[in-house]
Amino acid sequence: MAAVQEAPRADLRPKRIRNFIKPLLVKPNTKVRLPQSFDPAFTAGFNSEDGVGAQEVLRQGVQLLSEYQDRLAAQNKYCLLVILQAMDAAGKDGTIRHVMSGVNPQGVDVHSFKAPSTEELDHDYLWRYNRRLPERGKIGIFNRSYYEEVLVVRVHPAILEREQLPPEDVGPDMWRRRFREINNWERYLTDNGFRIVKLFLNVSKDEQRRRFLARIDEPEKNWKLSTADAQEREYWDDYQQAFSDVLSNTSTEWAPWYVIPADRKWFARIAAAAVIADALIAIDPQYPTVTGAARAGLKEVRRQLQSEAQRGRKRSKKAA
Ligand code: ATP
Ligand code: MG
């Protein structure tokens, strides 16, 4: 009889997950230089041909996330904010879809931030993000975020002009100031029940070219590519520099950045799931225990439900 091949099991012990994501962490106060510092094609020794194995690992990771999310919601004390930043076609949407596929939709809020409206431009730059923060017990995902304020806004000075800033607030120092303000804001949030993880999906310029071409060549993908995306690609080096500066200055103990290698989609999904799982494991949410009068109340309800069933049985015996 042929031996039955067991599907590979992911090692989901907390320590293993932590070790797995360690190489992806941007250590606070270290200087990041893209593209040298992080390899977009890194797969942590996973075999890229092992598609089924990767799917199985992801499936188990997603299951783990779902269990933790249930506890997070029940405990209703902490919330998790997941920030996703990337160049176009790095796979933000697909990552969210796959990683969150098993999680109760009521427990997750996803917000995609586009170019700001006139109303949003009439407020301070964190205003619109503050309004979309998750409530306690929830996982909030920001598909793009306030980090655009030190990325696209930095790469395109014309956008800054639309932000109506007082002249004394604008100048070469302003990026350093925004980094400080963002770090402080995230510190404030973590002091008030938030846990924050930030994922930079790191795709290579070559892989982006391949994905853009596929979006042109495959009709059902045409809608995903705009000429604006191709124009943004012209600024690749400026973005790499801006991202390097963001990663170097805003990865903190309380809101760390992880660089998710994004050239292999299957690996990016496993890595993103692992980072989010690690954050939930650190929260370690517990189901509330019901004690005292509330517990006694439940026992009383139980007694009533049981006697109701007994009465029901007696009635149906009589009728028969
Ligand atoms: P997809 O293309 O997969 O639908 P996307 O996130 O690229 O997702 P788009 O509508 O293509 O969505 O792009 C959103 C645009 O909004 C990006 O070019 C981004 O840089 C821009 N944007 C986001 N936040 C800001 C901001 N604060 N200021 C200016 N532009 C912003
Ligand atoms: Mg886009």
Side-chain angles (χ1 to χ4, degrees), residues 208-218 222 225:
Q208 191 200 51
R209 185 179 60 85
R210 275 192 287 274
R211 290 184 190 175
F212 277 6
L213 282 173
R215 289 176 178 192
I216 295 165
D217 294 342
E218 298 169 36
N222 283 173
L225 188 73

Side-chain angles (χ1 to χ4, degrees), residues 196-214:
I196 306 174
V197 282
K198 303 179 294 201
L199 312 185
F200 166 51
L201 265 54
N202 186 26
V203 74
S204 67
K205 195 174 183 189
D206 232 27
E207 181 60 21
Q208 191 200 51
R209 185 179 60 85
R210 275 192 287 274
R211 290 184 190 175
F212 277 6
L213 282 173

Side-chain angles (χ1 to χ4, degrees), residues 50-282:
D50 187 17
V52 179
Q55 271 175 30
E56 178 55 22
V57 173
L58 182 62
R59 194 190 63 74
Q60 291 171 32
V62 164
Q63 173 67 29
L64 184 84
L65 284 180
S66 152
E67 288 162 18
Y68 271 92
Q69 186 278 324
D70 198 51
R71 288 206 253 146
L72 188 78
Q75 189 182 37
N76 203 32
K77 297 238 182 303
Y78 297 95
C79 55
L80 179 65
L81 175 63
V82 180
I83 303 267
L84 273 178
Q85 287 290 156
M87 296 298 287
D88 279 312
K92 286 185 280 111
D93 291 351
T95 303
I96 296 170
R97 199 169 58 243
H98 283 84
V99 171
M100 289 297 148
S101 58
V103 172
N104 179 355
Q106 294 183 92
V108 186
D109 285 331
V110 184
H111 288 288
S112 300
F113 292 98
K114 312 282 182 191
S117 66
T118 322
E119 188 195 15
E120 289 166 344
L121 287 170
D122 271 338
H123 289 82
D124 64 282
Y125 74 95
L126 291 176
W127 182 75
R128 68 169 179 159
Y129 308 97
N130 191 42
R131 303 173 79 208
R132 299 293 182 192
L133 289 172
E135 54 195 76
R136 295 188 201 286
K138 286 217 176 177
I139 300 176
I141 300 184
F142 280 2
N143 182 351
R144 300 186 188 270
S145 67
Y146 43 91
Y147 282 98
E148 292 293 336
E149 302 290 340
V150 281
L151 290 164
V152 68
V153 179
R154 191 173 185 183
V155 170
H156 297 288
I159 298 180
L160 194 60
E161 279 167 32
R162 288 204 290 274
E163 291 198 353
Q164 325 276 14
L165 300 173
E168 65 273 20
D169 288 356
V170 184
D173 278 353
M174 66 175 299
W175 308 113
R176 222 138 282 282
R177 204 190 70 227
R178 283 194 171 186
F179 291 150
R180 173 172 52 76
E181 287 161 354
I182 288 173
N183 287 340
N184 288 343
W185 190 52
E186 290 176 340
R187 174 88 245 186
Y188 159 79
L189 293 175
T190 34
D191 283 345
N192 287 277
F194 283 79
R195 294 295 175 267
I196 306 174
V197 282
K198 303 179 294 201
L199 312 185
F200 166 51
L201 265 54
N202 186 26
V203 74
S204 67
K205 195 174 183 189
D206 232 27
E207 181 60 21
Q208 191 200 51
R209 185 179 60 85
R210 275 192 287 274
R211 290 184 190 175
F212 277 6
L213 282 173
R215 289 176 178 192
I216 295 165
D217 294 342
E218 298 169 36
E220 67 280 12
K221 286 190 181 168
N222 283 173
W223 64 274
K224 287 189 180 182
L225 188 73
S226 67
T227 47
D229 293 343
Q231 280 162 18
E232 264 336 76
R233 184 175 159 81
E234 304 274 312
Y235 296 90
W236 184 273
D237 292 342
D238 295 342
Y239 272 108
Q240 292 277 292
Q241 231 173 39
F243 268 114
S244 300
D245 220 17
V246 163
L247 297 172
S248 306
N249 287 283
T250 61
S251 196
T252 53
E253 300 289 346
W254 56 90
W257 274 107
Y258 289 87
V259 179
I260 305 294
D263 274 9
R264 312 272 182 271
K265 284 182 183 173
W266 57 267
F267 184 75
R269 287 162 194 167
I270 295 174
V275 170
I276 298 170
D278 179 71
L280 288 168
I281 290 167

